[in-house]
Amino acid sequence: KARTRQSVISGSAMNFALLGLLWLYLIVHVTHVSGQTKNSLDLPQCINNVDCGELLACIDLKCQDPCPGPCNGNATCEIYNHVPYCACKPGFSGNPFAGCQRVPETQRGYLLPGSRPAGTKVYRVERFFKVNYFSALLYCTTHGGRLASIESKDENKLIKDVINKTGIRNAEFWTSGTILPMGQWVWMSSREPVLPDYSDWWPGEPNNAGDEHCLELWERDSRGYKWNDKRCTEQLYPICEYFE
């Protein structure tokens, strides 16, 4: 009987030991799984912008909207390829990062293509964002001006001076120049032809190297800005013209 009782006690002790080991295993396993879950939640969503959608940017290792913050008063924010671009709202002008100011009523309104407004032509470089040719036409029109035309040697010099004052080098800027189906280059804003007396093409241009139907100002190798034909879908800085 003593041996039987001892066997029962030993069996019970073994069962308790096995039960304890089972509980220990469960605790360790659950802790390990919980740790994995927590660690997976802490993993970064992104390392750089390419890990996010085109309208998001990688900020603090998370894919977030980059627009809140950079654009100041009376400015809108648009995202292109993860990068926020600020622009003044219609009826406002200035630096969209510092705050846009309302354009005086005398300078507002639409300049109709082909019209000959009174006043002196002035150029303004929109250097805080890039758009394609068609968006550049629309932007300048809705902001009380029109996309730049160059109809004399003096205007050609003036527009280059305005670009140089921005300090931007080796860049590209839209004008309103475009080529018609019959092969004639014209200024869309004034509806006037691009005359040989006022042209300033780079040597060998325009060459229409792959549907290049729009006219840009382009600086090559820091040698100054000259005219070049460009694909109209490319993203460049627009230059608007106003009359004061």
Side-chain angles (χ1 to χ4, degrees), residues 65-85:
D65 182 357
C67 264
C71 304
N72 219 310
N74 301 315
T76 60
C77 180
E78 296 184 4
I79 305 167
Y80 176 73
N81 197 23
H82 315 288
V83 179
Y85 292 93

Side-chain angles (χ1 to χ4, degrees), residues 45-52 57-59 61 63 82:
Q45 292 182 350
C46 58
I47 301 300
N48 49 46
N49 286 340
V50 297
D51 298 327
C52 304
C58 189
I59 303 172
L61 301 180
C63 293
H82 315 288

Side-chain angles (χ1 to χ4, degrees), residues 165-216:
K165 287 179 181 178
T166 67
I168 301 175
R169 303 302 305 271
N170 300 305
E172 298 168 278
F173 299 85
W174 281 130
T175 73
S176 69
T178 189
I179 189 169
L180 300 178
M182 65 284 296
Q184 172 67 53
W185 282 90
V186 299
W187 302 109
M188 280 293 292
S189 293
S190 65
R191 296 294 195 267
E192 293 293 329
V194 176
L195 301 177
D197 292 343
Y198 305 143
S199 66
D200 190 23
W201 297 100
W202 276 103
E205 304 293 347
N207 61 3
N208 191 26
D211 297 326
E212 295 181 333
H213 298 153
C214 293
L215 197 158
E216 66 165 353

Side-chain angles (χ1 to χ4, degrees), residues 52 67 73 88 114 128 148 164 190 220:
C52 304
C67 264
C88 294
F128 297 106
N164 290 332
S190 65
R220 180 189 300 173

Side-chain angles (χ1 to χ4, degrees), residues 115-134:
S115 62
R116 286 290 176 182
T120 302
K121 181 189 291 188
V122 295
Y123 296 111
R124 182 176 300 147
V125 176
E126 299 295 344
R127 59 193 180 95
F128 297 106
F129 63 95
K130 295 180 180 181
V131 292
N132 63 40
Y133 176 83
F134 310 103

Side-chain angles (χ1 to χ4, degrees), residues 7 14 63 84 115 117 123 137 143 146 153 166 184 220 231:
S7 299
M14 184 176 294
C63 293
S115 62
Y123 296 111
L137 285 170
H143 284 75
R146 60 190 188 187
K153 292 180 180 179
T166 67
Q184 172 67 53
R220 180 189 300 173
R231 292 186 183 90

Side-chain angles (χ1 to χ4, degrees), residues 24-167:
L24 180 62
Y25 170 78
L26 290 174
I27 291 172
V28 171
H29 181 69
V30 170
T31 303
H32 177 67
V33 172
S34 299
Q36 282 187 327
T37 304
K38 184 177 185 302
N39 290 337
S40 65
L41 292 175
D42 291 339
L43 289 176
Q45 292 182 350
C46 58
I47 301 300
N48 49 46
N49 286 340
V50 297
D51 298 327
C52 304
E54 187 173 337
L55 299 181
L56 298 174
C58 189
I59 303 172
D60 297 330
L61 301 180
K62 296 181 180 180
C63 293
Q64 303 183 49
D65 182 357
C67 264
C71 304
N72 219 310
N74 301 315
T76 60
C77 180
E78 296 184 4
I79 305 167
Y80 176 73
N81 197 23
H82 315 288
V83 179
Y85 292 93
C86 302
C88 294
K89 295 179 180 178
F92 294 83
S93 183
N95 184 344
F97 295 97
C100 302
Q101 306 300 319
R102 185 177 294 277
V103 177
E105 291 291 338
T106 55
Q107 299 180 22
R108 296 171 66 183
Y110 297 112
L111 290 178
L112 297 177
S115 62
R116 286 290 176 182
T120 302
K121 181 189 291 188
V122 295
Y123 296 111
R124 182 176 300 147
V125 176
E126 299 295 344
R127 59 193 180 95
F128 297 106
F129 63 95
K130 295 180 180 181
V131 292
N132 63 40
Y133 176 83
F134 310 103
S135 296
L137 285 170
L138 180 61
Y139 175 86
C140 293
T141 300
T142 57
H143 284 75
R146 60 190 188 187
L147 196 57
S149 58
I150 306 171
E151 299 176 285
S152 69
K153 292 180 180 179
D154 289 340
E155 289 185 356
N156 195 45
K157 180 180 183 302
L158 176 61
I159 198 169
K160 291 182 181 182
D161 289 342
V162 172
I163 293 175
N164 290 332
K165 287 179 181 178
T166 67

